[in-house]
Amino acid sequence: MATIYIDEDIGKDEPTQQGTEQSPFKTLQFAYLQHPAQAQYLTRKSESADDEAAREWKPAAKSAMKKVVNYFEQQKKKAAREQELAIHRKKEEEERHKVLDEAKKIVLEEDPSLPKPVTIKLDEAGDHIALRKADDADSKGTRVRVFGRVHRERKQKDVLFVTLRDGYGFMQVVISGKLAKTYEALTLTRETSMEIFGEMREVPAGARAPLNRELHADFYKIPKHWRAVGGDDAITNRVTASTEHSTLLDLRHLTLRGENASSVLLVRDAMEYAFNRAYHEARIRKVSPPALVQTQVEGGSTLFKFDYYGADAFLTQSSQLYLETCLPSLGSVYCIEKSFRAEKSLTRRHLSEFTHIEAELDFINFDDLLTHLETLICRVLELVLEDPMIAGYIKTLNPEFKVPERPFMRMRYSDAIKWLIDHEIPNEEGNPHNFGDDIAEAAERKMTDIINKPIFITHFPAHIKAFYMKRDPEDDRVTESVDCLMPGVGEIVGGSMRIDDYDELLAACKREGLDPEPYYWYIDQRKYGSSPHGGYGVGLERLLAWLCKQHTVRDCCLYPRYMGRCKP
């Protein structure tokens, strides 16, 4: 019987070791795996042992041998199982290749005797689409033709169930018989585009499907370039619930295909449409101001500057000044345009490019402005919720949402400061708030979380507001200004009455260090028939974040732009 040597100090657990006294292994376990049950095993302790006798070769302890033998048997069984699995997988793979090779031979052809199909969108319904009754085999359903992408798919015996998506709705498709045995059906991947023909039928009792109907396919087409990639690159592997948010933004083009992202954007579309309707109901006209400007509105530190044919120009911070110039000829006006702010801010409610809904109203007072704002917001919400599909998306995204009651809570800035002090909510420096502080986002958010309803905070100090805001006739320290705060988001609207006196506006420019010359066209409004007027701006993404209960405004636009991100 051979003798195998194990030295804890100089030995090595490597296949190149011979297990001799000159070339020992390091551990008994490794030695036994190399030479199982065919030798005696001699071990010795480390050279650091104090007792010289401990350096002598001694037979391995029985308890140690028992452990390594058990481990060896476990590894042997594991290797046997893995071999069986490998054989099984190989057999399955061979069978699958055989099935796929046979499937490639199946050629689908549309039955010319079937009725000519009606092409519809997946959400389309009406009298022109009859359903075959689930309990009446003699009834007939309309034969339709649909296009869409595979949102989900599952196989049940020889039937393939596909949920199709086209941006308008979802439809369950039942593919069976020969149609379920083609190469395209057997290798179908999510996001693959399909053209499907078939009969519309009622869903059987106890089953569920979008609009309680399903399409029983009699023919379909999947051109090669319509097929979505599978395997490691499949969309289900690249975009998952555990994927980091920054990665999801890198993959925004894929994330948009998800139910949450697409639902938010569908609500956004409905909201923009509702704003247009609400404004036109109020006889407020839409205009399109320029995005390239040479003046500032909200302070020079947040301007994106660029060279404009040798002159300095900026991306607009707001269309307000241009809207004011339209009042004498068009009456009250609004716009839905992009605004740009170069704020070095990474909060969840800031974007460098955002959709700005702005309006200027002629011949109004401050109370008129507040009444208009709460009326507009509630009317927009009513219009959005008129569409059952959109209302369903909102219910899914924000189950607890309720249209706010009017009138909104109104709180003067001075009272808001007292409220923050009373509730021990500090300012940005960690100190109690003082009159004159710019109420920061964190304090705003705590206030709205506690009060839990829309709040109009009014009459902000003049020195923390823009140069064009009108002073309160009863308190020259403050302006006739308003911020509308919403729970969970904070400020979504900022507005004010505008200075309508020529000399007062010039003085405001001087006080803010602004050269009046570039603003001549704006200041001229006060020379040629001025009027009491006011306006506001609504951040669409913030309003949407509140309505759809989204953690960040970045998920409320198509491709967000903020500090450090300008891709994809």
Side-chain angles (χ1 to χ4, degrees):
M1 180 181 292
T3 300
I4 304 299
Y5 292 87
I6 298 99
D7 189 306
E8 293 180 0
D9 189 61
I10 65 171
K12 295 180 182 179
D13 283 346
E14 297 175 358
T16 54
Q17 293 293 97
Q18 299 172 9
T20 63
E21 190 171 357
Q22 292 74 31
S23 179
F25 294 112
K26 186 176 183 65
T27 64
L28 178 60
Q29 180 174 287
F30 188 84
Y32 192 86
L33 290 176
Q34 304 305 308
H35 303 277
Q38 54 181 265
Q40 67 168 335
Y41 303 89
L42 298 181
T43 67
R44 67 180 179 184
K45 301 293 183 181
S46 169
E47 289 180 353
S48 61
D50 295 333
D51 186 0
E52 184 61 31
R55 289 292 299 151
E56 296 177 0
W57 295 105
K58 294 181 180 181
K62 289 183 179 180
S63 59
M65 287 299 302
K66 185 176 180 180
K67 286 182 181 179
V68 299
V69 169
N70 288 339
Y71 179 77
F72 174 76
E73 293 299 325
Q74 290 172 6
Q75 293 301 105
K76 190 164 65 171
K77 290 177 181 178
K78 182 179 177 181
R81 286 197 302 269
E82 289 179 352
Q83 187 176 13
E84 287 178 10
L85 285 172
I87 293 170
H88 182 67
R89 282 194 293 265
K90 184 179 180 182
K91 185 177 179 181
E92 280 188 335
E93 193 67 23
E94 289 173 351
E95 289 176 355
R96 178 168 173 76
H97 280 299
K98 184 178 179 181
V99 170
L100 291 178
D101 287 340
E102 290 298 316
K104 289 177 182 179
K105 298 175 184 178
I106 299 175
V107 178
L108 297 183
E109 292 182 351
E110 186 176 4
D111 186 346
S113 68
L114 292 173
K116 184 178 179 181
V118 178
T119 301
I120 65 169
K121 297 292 186 184
L122 299 185
D123 68 333
E124 200 167 331
D127 295 339
H128 64 298
I129 306 175
L131 302 182
R132 176 176 168 178
K133 305 297 182 183
D135 56 355
D136 184 359
D138 294 328
S139 63
K140 294 291 183 183
T142 303
R143 187 168 186 258
V144 300
R145 170 182 178 238
V146 297
F147 293 88
R149 289 177 173 82
V150 177
H151 189 64
R152 295 191 190 91
E153 42 80 28
R154 64 183 174 88
K155 193 151 190 176
Q156 187 174 311
K157 294 184 179 179
D158 293 329
V159 180
L160 179 63
F161 293 91
V162 174
T163 300
L164 217 58
R165 181 190 78 240
D166 69 351
Y168 295 90
F170 298 86
M171 182 179 287
Q172 180 165 289
V173 181
V174 181
I175 299 174
S176 59
K178 179 181 176 181
L179 276 66
K181 298 177 181 178
T182 65
Y183 179 81
E184 290 76 14
L186 295 177
T187 59
L188 190 64
T189 52
R190 292 194 186 185
E191 295 304 317
T192 290
S193 298
M194 301 183 72
E195 177 184 2
I196 306 179
F197 301 73
E199 182 186 38
M200 295 301 303
R201 298 185 187 179
E202 281 186 349
V203 175
R208 297 181 64 183
L211 299 178
N212 292 316
R213 64 183 185 179
E214 58 190 11
L215 174 61
H216 284 250
D218 58 52
F219 181 63
Y220 60 80
K221 297 178 185 177
I222 307 177
K224 185 178 179 181
H225 57 284
W226 286 18
R227 299 183 63 187
V229 67
D232 292 340
D233 285 334
I235 192 170
T236 49
N237 289 328
R238 299 193 69 191
V239 178
T240 68
S242 60
T243 303
E244 289 187 359
H245 191 257
S246 60
T247 303
L248 290 177
L249 290 178
D250 289 340
L251 300 175
R252 185 68 172 163
H253 59 294
L254 299 180
T255 309
L256 291 174
R257 301 185 182 210
E259 289 184 36
N260 189 80
S262 60
S263 295
V264 172
L265 292 181
L266 288 166
V267 176
R268 179 187 173 116
D269 169 63
M271 183 176 282
E272 285 200 43
Y273 180 58
F275 267 106
N276 282 306
R277 283 183 63 187
Y279 279 126
H280 281 272
E281 287 176 359
R283 301 187 67 196
I284 300 174
R285 296 186 172 95
K286 186 176 186 179
V287 294
S288 296
L292 310 181
V293 300
Q294 292 186 308
T295 51
Q296 68 183 51
V297 182
E298 299 296 331
S301 64
T302 67
L303 286 167
F304 280 109
K305 185 177 180 181
F306 64 96
D307 179 82
Y308 189 73
Y309 303 107
D312 288 341
F314 315 99
L315 295 177
T316 185
Q317 300 166 313
S318 165
S319 297
Q320 177 208 320
L321 306 189
Y322 294 94
L323 291 178
E324 288 189 53
T325 68
C326 299
L327 298 178
S329 56
L330 301 178
S332 298
V333 292
Y334 80 99
C335 69
I336 302 179
E337 302 285 349
K338 291 294 181 72
S339 286
F340 304 86
R341 305 281 171 88
E343 290 177 274
K344 293 183 177 179
S345 176
L346 287 173
T347 75
R348 58 187 171 124
R349 70 176 192 174
H350 280 93
L351 292 166
S352 298
E353 173 190 76
F354 65 97
T355 299
H356 213 174
I357 301 168
E358 299 182 87
E360 290 296 318
L361 312 178
D362 205 10
F363 294 105
I364 63 165
N365 60 36
F366 189 50
D367 283 338
D368 295 333
L369 178 63
L370 299 183
T371 301
H372 162 82
L373 271 173
E374 63 188 10
T375 300
L376 174 74
I377 291 170
C378 290
R379 180 57 180 154
V380 165
L381 294 174
E382 288 172 2
L383 292 170
V384 168
L385 292 169
E386 274 184 3
D387 186 330
M389 181 184 75
I390 299 300
Y393 291 142
I394 294 170
K395 183 69 175 175
T396 300
L397 293 164
N398 189 1
E400 299 173 358
F401 175 76
K402 293 181 181 178
V403 175
E405 296 180 358
R406 287 181 276 172
F408 291 179
M409 181 179 181
R410 302 187 184 190
M411 180 186 292
R412 292 179 71 98
Y413 166 86
S414 55
D415 294 329
I417 291 295
K418 184 176 183 304
W419 189 96
L420 291 168
I421 294 172
D422 291 344
H423 287 78
E424 298 182 348
I425 298 173
N427 61 19
E428 287 188 295
E429 286 74 38
N431 301 316
H433 278 85
N434 288 303
F435 186 92
D437 286 349
D438 194 356
I439 301 174
E441 178 189 0
E444 270 186 7
R445 198 178 293 279
K446 288 182 180 179
M447 177 184 287
T448 55
D449 287 348
I450 293 170
I451 296 175
N452 199 31
K453 63 173 69 172
I455 312 167
F456 281 149
I457 297 185
T458 66
H459 299 89
F460 287 85
H463 73 273
I464 64 172
K465 285 297 182 180
F467 74 95
Y468 52 75
M469 292 190 179
K470 188 176 180 64
R471 300 287 181 110
D472 181 356
E474 298 179 2
D475 185 353
D476 190 63
R477 298 176 306 157
V478 301
T479 55
E480 290 188 320
S481 54
V482 58
D483 282 357
C484 180
L485 310 185
M486 285 295 185
V489 178
E491 180 194 347
I492 62 164
V493 181
S496 75
M497 295 298 291
R498 316 309 192 190
I499 294 174
D500 53 27
D501 180 82
Y502 178 80
D503 292 331
E504 186 180 344
L505 186 58
L506 281 179
C509 289
K510 183 177 181 181
R511 185 173 61 250
E512 296 297 323
L514 292 175
D515 180 5
E517 178 55 30
Y519 296 87
Y520 74 92
W521 51 274
Y522 177 68
I523 297 172
D524 268 0
Q525 296 295 111
R526 282 73 182 166
K527 290 173 65 177
Y528 294 89
S530 191
S531 63
H533 63 281
Y536 56 87
V538 181
L540 179 64
E541 288 83 7
R542 290 188 183 183
L543 183 60
L544 197 62
W546 167 69
L547 176 60
C548 296
K549 204 172 183 178
Q550 297 299 292
H551 178 71
T552 170
V553 294
R554 298 170 189 176
D555 293 333
C556 296
C557 49
L558 196 62
Y559 288 93
R561 299 291 184 256
Y562 55 91
M563 187 177 72
R565 177 169 292 277
C566 197
K567 72 174 186 179

